[in-house]
Amino acid sequence: MDSPPNPNGAINVQPKQSRSLPNFLFSVKLKYVKLGYHYLMSNLVKLCLIPLIAALAIHASKMNFDDFNRLWLHLQCNLVAVMASSAFLVCGSTVYLMTRPRPVYLVDYACYLPPARLQAKLTKFMEHSRLTGDFDESSLEFQRKILERSGLGEETYVPEAMHYIPPRPSMAAAREEAEQVMFGALDNLFTNTNINPKDIGILVVNCSLFNPTPSLSAMIINKYKLRGNIKSFNLGGMGCSAGVIAVDLAKDMLHLHRNTYAVVVSTENITQNWYFGNKKSMLIPNCLFRMGCSAVLLSNKSADKRRAKYKLVHVVRTHCGADDKAFKCVYQEQDDIGKTGVSLSKDLMAIAGGALKTNITALGPLVLPISEQILFFLTLIRRKLFNPKIKPYIPDFKLAFDHFCIHAGGRAVIDELEKNLQLRPEHVEASRMTLHRFGNTSSSSIWYELAYTEAKMKLQKGHRIWQIAFGSGFKCNSAVWQALRNVKPSPKSPWEDSIHKYPVKLDL
């Protein structure tokens, strides 16, 4: 067919269209090939069972009445063997069901939202730091630069005592802060779950830097008049990853004590742990740490599965304290003039990277699909036997988890995990927004992040959540949860009044 003429009388020559298919070697993206490989390996057992089931079905369809009758007579002749096998199966099943660990359910949790009057806007923070008279110009400029790069927003919170000029840190003020955040979170938790505090059999509280006598766990027992035979624990000095450690301890106790509840309270206390000196490495915590607290209700009661939000799947803990550099990279000490603070080593990120590598090496076989494990193993063999310069294969944890709650310790921590785990911006959104809205709330930060994900209505039944946190010692700890239903945010969520403003655009 000829091409139509144009208005000037010339013939338009149409480019000849190729009838051949595109070269799929160049058009198919590697990530889709990898995803298909993952699906194939994940369903390999099922695919292998299909021919076996088909063969059995064909064989059964060819059997007549006489064949079935002969089979029945054969079983009758071997009645003793059949009964012995049945008894063995029944006894074995009974022992397994009686001794296996019961599932641990997360019924609900609550995060404390401080009042607006305790907000520490960045300009106000710097002005107060200047007016205290404890910091020289170099230290003030250093704090200003840290704040600008920190990823913190204008609505983070510091305790009451730090809003005075000069600040009023004292034991009484520290107790007031502890009571304010712990009781605030627990009141919310008990209201949302309709749990009678006297039904709690296990209580675990973690706070690194403030450990008064009586303990923080005793303060909670006194406030809520918990029962006298409660198993209570108070964890101190274990850093920002202590929340996962507390969950692990509560899990072990729930395996020992059946039909009970456990409450885990995670917080940090700032009032008596503000640094009023000029050592740069000890000024960073002033700029990053803020008020916060979480309270988590765990249960081993089968009846609670219907109303629980999540089931605990795995807890993996890694401790690098045998190495001197790791042990001292987050270290509470006094400076040259006797002022106490927490010093952060310049090797912190490298040590955290090593701890993360060790942790995910242990976690990977528990959570990664078989496809990723085979690829990792084959790459390891090639590196060991053929070429050590081959780039190591980094497993794709996005195939194992739907949501990531990376401890909001600082922007650098989130950046490094996003890069090393090859995550996308949406995977670290909860961590970045929590850092912006609440700052580094230490061990409770992973719960503010989970609350963010819930508030965004992203959690569906079956989704897996990876909580990962770093802490002094040096430690890297992971907790894996699975959603038991489509999860909605609980009443009085810390994001209830601000989620509509997030995510915000950050200058990275």
Side-chain angles (χ1 to χ4, degrees), residues 25-43:
L25 291 177
F26 295 98
S27 62
V28 176
K29 292 185 178 180
L30 179 60
K31 67 177 182 179
Y32 297 122
V33 176
K34 185 177 178 182
L35 190 60
Y37 169 66
H38 160 61
Y39 287 145
L40 174 64
M41 297 305 298
S42 298
N43 295 282

Side-chain angles (χ1 to χ4, degrees), residues 44-240:
L44 186 60
V45 175
K46 297 177 184 177
L47 292 174
C48 292
L49 284 174
I50 290 175
L52 178 61
I53 294 172
L56 289 173
I58 293 172
H59 181 71
S61 65
K62 293 180 179 180
M63 294 176 66
N64 54 32
F65 178 79
D66 291 335
D67 294 326
F68 283 107
N69 191 41
R70 281 194 296 269
L71 179 61
W72 174 247
L73 291 173
H74 179 72
L75 291 175
Q76 285 181 324
C77 293
N78 295 276
L79 186 60
V80 174
V82 172
M83 292 183 64
S85 300
S86 301
F88 177 78
L89 289 173
V90 170
C91 292
S93 301
T94 303
V95 170
Y96 170 75
L97 292 173
M98 293 295 293
T99 58
R100 69 186 178 102
R102 301 189 70 176
V104 173
Y105 301 111
L106 191 160
V107 179
D108 205 348
Y109 66 97
C111 298
Y112 178 66
L113 178 64
R117 60 184 173 82
L118 297 182
Q119 287 181 357
K121 297 186 181 299
L122 302 186
T123 54
K124 181 180 178 182
F125 179 96
M126 287 306 305
E127 184 63 20
H128 276 224
S129 295
R130 185 180 300 278
L131 292 174
T132 61
D134 292 296
F135 307 107
D136 58 29
E137 287 300 320
S138 175
S139 296
L140 289 169
E141 179 63 15
F142 178 78
Q143 291 182 77
R144 184 186 65 78
K145 289 181 178 179
I146 292 294
L147 285 170
E148 288 177 352
R149 303 169 185 171
S150 65
L152 271 69
E154 297 286 346
E155 297 182 313
T156 62
Y157 305 90
V158 296
E160 187 84 45
M162 309 315 297
H163 285 270
Y164 292 99
I165 302 177
R168 301 176 183 176
S170 64
M171 175 63 78
R175 284 184 181 275
E176 288 178 9
E177 179 193 349
E179 291 175 354
Q180 181 182 5
V181 298
M182 291 193 307
F183 298 164
L186 286 167
D187 286 346
N188 190 7
L189 179 69
F190 293 147
T191 300
N192 291 343
T193 58
N194 292 318
I195 289 291
N196 185 340
K198 292 187 180 296
D199 291 334
I200 297 168
I202 300 160
L203 173 65
V204 185
V205 181
N206 69 267
C207 182
S208 289
L209 296 175
F210 182 58
N211 291 284
T213 300
S215 65
L216 298 178
S217 59
M219 292 167 60
I220 293 173
I221 292 171
N222 177 259
K223 164 71 175 179
Y224 295 98
K225 309 305 177 188
L226 303 185
R227 64 197 200 197
N229 64 344
I230 190 170
K231 313 296 182 186
S232 67
F233 303 88
N234 202 93
L235 307 180
M238 304 197 78
C240 300

Side-chain angles (χ1 to χ4, degrees), residues 242-461:
V244 178
I245 297 172
V247 167
D248 190 35
L249 175 58
K251 176 204 71 176
D252 290 343
M253 295 301 296
L254 285 170
H255 287 167
L256 290 173
H257 304 276
R258 296 181 176 260
N259 201 38
T260 189
Y261 290 109
V263 168
V264 174
V265 179
S266 300
T267 188
E268 191 51 84
N269 195 282
I270 296 174
T271 298
Q272 280 196 307
N273 296 288
W274 205 264
Y275 176 62
F276 294 99
N278 292 292
K279 188 175 179 179
K280 301 292 193 297
S281 62
M282 300 171 78
L283 283 169
I284 298 174
N286 285 11
C287 302
L288 298 179
F289 281 85
R290 296 293 184 265
M291 285 180 76
C293 180
S294 63
V296 182
L297 179 65
L298 303 175
S299 172
N300 58 13
K301 300 180 180 182
S302 56
D304 282 321
K305 182 179 180 179
R306 292 193 300 272
R307 66 167 182 156
K309 287 185 172 183
Y310 309 100
K311 180 177 73 173
L312 182 61
V313 182
H314 300 293
V315 176
V316 174
R317 294 166 55 181
T318 301
H319 205 304
C320 304
D323 179 78
D324 291 341
K325 283 188 177 180
F327 176 71
K328 285 201 169 185
C329 72
V330 180
Y331 201 77
Q332 187 179 24
E333 59 185 349
Q334 291 182 323
D335 64 12
D336 296 337
I337 59 174
K339 294 190 176 181
T340 303
V342 176
S343 176
L344 303 183
S345 167
K346 62 182 180 180
D347 300 321
L348 176 59
M349 292 309 301
I351 291 167
L356 172 66
K357 180 180 177 181
T358 305
N359 188 265
I360 64 175
T361 301
L363 179 67
L366 300 175
V367 298
L368 286 170
I370 189 66
S371 58
E372 288 298 289
Q373 297 189 47
I374 291 175
L375 287 174
F376 178 80
F377 178 73
L378 292 178
T379 305
L380 181 64
I381 295 297
R382 290 178 61 196
R383 281 169 55 84
K384 293 290 184 182
L385 298 181
F386 302 107
N387 186 1
K389 294 183 179 180
I390 294 176
K391 186 178 180 182
Y393 179 72
I394 300 175
D396 189 354
F397 280 90
K398 298 187 294 293
L399 296 175
F401 302 111
D402 302 283
H403 306 281
F404 297 79
C405 296
I406 300 167
H407 167 53
R411 198 180 79 180
V413 175
I414 302 171
D415 288 346
E416 283 301 308
L417 264 72
E418 180 183 15
K419 176 184 175 182
N420 291 330
L421 296 177
Q422 300 178 353
L423 303 179
R424 295 189 293 270
E426 60 265 28
H427 293 132
V428 295
E429 179 182 312
S431 300
R432 292 195 190 282
M433 296 306 106
T434 296
L435 182 64
H436 182 272
R437 176 65 180 85
F438 294 101
N440 181 351
T441 60
S442 189
S443 56
S444 64
S445 69
I446 53 177
W447 297 105
Y448 285 88
E449 294 163 17
L450 186 57
Y452 177 89
T453 308
E454 290 183 2
K456 284 295 182 180
M457 307 296 286
K458 294 181 178 180
L459 274 160
Q460 305 297 313
K461 183 178 180 179

